[in-house]
Each structure stands twice: as C-alpha cells, then as structure tokens.
Amino acid sequence: MAGNGTVVTELILLGFQLGAGLQTGLFFVFLLLYLISLGGNLGVMALIQSDPRLQTPMYFFLGHLSFLDVCYSSVIVPQLLETLWTGASVVTFERCATQFFFFTLCASAECFLLAVMAYDRYVAVCKPLLYASAVTPQTRVGLVAGVYGGAAVNAVVRTGCTFSISFCKSNHVDFFFCDLPPLLKLACSETRPRERVIYLLAFLVIATSISVILISYLFIIRAILKIRSAGGKAKSFSTCASHVTVVALFFGTLIFMYLKGNMGKSLGEDKIVSVFYTVVIPMLNPMVYSLRNKDMKGALKRALSRMKASRAE
C-alpha cells in the first residue's frame, strides 16, 4: 500500500540524486567499469576453458567465481546506469523482487564459493599428495552444486521474507537498485520478525563461509611455517595471495553493509559501499588473479601467440 492507501504496483528508484552533469559523468564512469568487469571476467573464463594447463580444480572454481561476478554485476549495473541516465527509474514490484532474488543468489553463492576455494587451497598446500584423490572432478562438481543450492535456498527465503512485508509509506526507493535497507524504510507493517530471519540468514552465510576460510588458512599457515626453504614458503604463499585479497575485499564490504544493521548508517554510506561491491570488486577480481598468477599470465601469453599465429596464416 502506498501512502494514500493504494496498492503499490511499481517502485521508483531515485538513485544518487545529483546534478545532471555529475550524473552523466558517473554514467560513463560506471559504464566503463562495467565493460572492464565484463571483459576481464569473460576473458578469465575463456582462458580457463581454452588452455589445457588450467584444467585443474583451482581454475575450475575460479571460472565459477568469474561467472558469478558477471552475473552479480549484470543484475545491478544496468539498473544503476538507467537510474543515472534518466535521473530515476520506475520498476514493477515483480521486477524489484526478481532483482533482489538474483542479487541475493549471486552474493550468497560467492560467499560459499570463496569458502570452497579456501578448502581447495588447504588440501593443495597441506595434503599435496592426496590432492588429486581428494578433489576429484566429481567432488568439485558436487561442491559447486552445493554452492548454488545453498545460495538458492537463502535467496528464496530472504526474498519471501522481504516482499511479504507491506509497503505503504511511499513507493520512492532512495537507492539505485532493490536492496534490503532502503526497502525496509518503506515498510508500514511490523518488520522485526522478518528482519530477524533476514539478518540471521545473512549472518549464517557470512559466518559459515568465513569460519571455513579462517580454519583453512590456519592450517595453511601452520603448514607453510614448517617449510624450511624460503623459496618453498614464498611459492606456497603466492598460491593463496590472490584468494586472500579477494576474500578481504568481498567480505569486508558485506560485513559493513549487512551485519552492522540499520543503526548509525545513512543510505548515502550504503550507496557508496554498494557501488564498491557491485561495480568495483567484480572488476578487480580478474585483475587480482591475472596480475598475481603466473599460470594465468602464461595462459594469456599463449592465447595471444595463437592469435598472432592464426592472423599470420
């Protein structure tokens, strides 16, 4: 219900509400970042699929991380660009719920996948002789299926709880996509029971994923410290450095955004943080893995060499 007692059938996303010139400038900045993100993540996926040397569990999981980043940013950024270009965008209630569902699905899946990647690094560093038998093709497919299955359950429950709330204060959403904090500000019914479920699910997803990551890296650090040669230690650390960087960026912003709750935060802060994890992080991930990874650099050089050879022919 809207403030005048009518049923809400559409919502108006207000975006950043800046001057026209500044919004146009931001439009082209975010469009460029989005294109870089798409190019980088699709490039990583193409390299992994085309290079036989990258047909390992680690790069299998990395390919799915890039896939999630493509989906993640594509759920949000086109809406952001539309809002910047038009000043405000009108979305139906159903479209808003659909965007919220897929956003939650991608975010949850990325949490679980980063935990799976930490486990993969634990087996590779701590039990290298058992790696091939522990992380078989069937095992990695099962792990990824669990990632998407768990994320889907979380997305269904969170979306159901959020959009079963009565919205009657207004149909103006002071945000650039359908996210939880600005939607809750429009609620006219009692939201505390549903909020508890929503934030409990967020806590469980993030806490479970971080626990797996921390435990995995405690064992990894212990195993690395036992290595006598400095070269061996450096090599072991290098296999985990990219993953640690991505984990710090992703979970740092999620914790700030969702586990801090609504107290003491403004929607202006939320917008800045949301831009970071929906636009910037998906763009940075392929750069982090490509620039810090010798295998990826080698695969890129081989791909470029094949392209030059085919053109010469």
Side-chain angles (χ1 to χ4, degrees):
M1 302 291 287
N4 59 4
T6 59
V7 176
V8 172
T9 58
E10 59 184 26
L11 299 168
I12 301 174
L13 300 175
L14 301 179
F16 291 93
Q17 297 177 289
L18 304 171
L22 186 55
Q23 292 220 149
T24 302
L26 284 176
F27 172 87
F28 287 107
V29 169
F30 289 138
L31 176 60
L32 177 61
L33 295 179
Y34 180 53
L35 293 176
I36 293 173
S37 176
L38 285 182
N41 284 294
L42 291 174
V44 168
M45 293 167 63
L47 280 178
I48 292 172
Q49 288 295 320
S50 63
D51 197 303
R53 300 185 191 184
L54 300 183
Q55 303 302 309
T56 64
M58 174 182 172
Y59 294 106
F60 174 79
F61 297 133
L62 177 57
H64 280 275
L65 180 64
S66 292
F67 170 73
L68 283 173
D69 280 337
V70 168
C71 297
Y72 194 43
S73 57
S74 296
V75 168
I76 304 301
V77 179
Q79 183 72 67
L80 166 60
L81 295 175
E82 180 185 345
T83 304
L84 286 170
W85 189 255
T86 61
S89 29
V90 179
V91 297
T92 63
F93 193 76
E94 292 76 14
R95 178 181 169 186
C96 186
T98 301
Q99 184 184 55
F100 184 89
F101 170 81
F102 283 106
F103 165 70
T104 305
L105 175 68
C106 293
S108 304
E110 189 148 338
C111 288
F112 292 140
L113 184 62
L114 288 172
V116 167
M117 293 174 76
Y119 168 75
D120 172 70
R121 291 298 83 206
Y122 154 72
V123 178
V125 173
C126 299
K127 301 180 180 181
L129 299 179
L130 300 176
Y131 185 67
S133 59
V135 191
T136 63
Q138 294 78 13
T139 301
R140 64 192 190 190
V141 169
L143 288 171
V144 168
V147 164
Y148 290 116
V153 171
N154 181 49
V156 168
V157 176
R158 279 172 59 88
T159 304
C161 288
T162 301
F163 287 89
S164 61
I165 294 172
S166 296
F167 300 105
C168 64
K169 291 183 179 178
S170 171
N171 69 336
H172 289 70
V173 181
D174 188 14
F175 218 63
F176 56 90
F177 72 97
C178 293
D179 200 9
L180 181 64
L183 288 173
L184 290 178
K185 291 183 180 295
L186 307 183
C188 60
S189 59
E190 176 59 48
T191 64
R192 289 183 181 178
R194 292 182 178 86
E195 280 191 67
R196 291 192 187 100
V197 173
I198 291 168
Y199 283 108
L200 176 61
L201 284 172
F203 174 79
L204 289 176
V205 169
I206 295 174
T208 301
S209 302
I210 289 179
S211 297
V212 172
I213 292 168
L214 288 177
I215 292 170
S216 297
Y217 275 102
L218 285 175
F219 283 108
I220 288 171
I221 291 171
R222 189 177 71 172
I224 291 175
L225 291 177
K226 292 180 180 179
I227 299 175
R228 295 183 179 181
S229 67
K233 289 183 179 180
K235 184 178 180 181
S236 297
F237 272 120
S238 67
T239 64
C240 304
S242 299
H243 181 258
V244 171
T245 303
V246 170
V247 165
L249 288 171
F250 185 74
F251 281 103
T253 53
L254 278 187
I255 290 170
F256 178 86
M257 188 71 181
Y258 290 105
L259 297 191
K260 193 177 176 182
N262 289 324
M263 298 302 294
K265 289 197 303 178
S266 69
L267 284 178
E269 289 177 331
D270 285 352
K271 290 175 185 178
I272 295 171
V273 176
S274 295
V275 165
F276 187 74
Y277 73 76
T278 59
V279 181
V280 178
I281 289 180
M283 179 195 67
L284 291 178
N285 284 352
M287 294 183 182
V288 169
Y289 273 100
S290 299
L291 295 176
R292 299 181 65 93
N293 190 297
K294 293 181 180 179
D295 292 336
M296 291 295 293
K297 290 179 183 178
L300 180 59
K301 289 178 181 179
R302 290 190 292 273
L304 293 174
S305 297
R306 289 196 297 269
M307 290 175 61
K308 290 180 180 179
S310 61
R311 288 180 181 177
E313 294 176 357

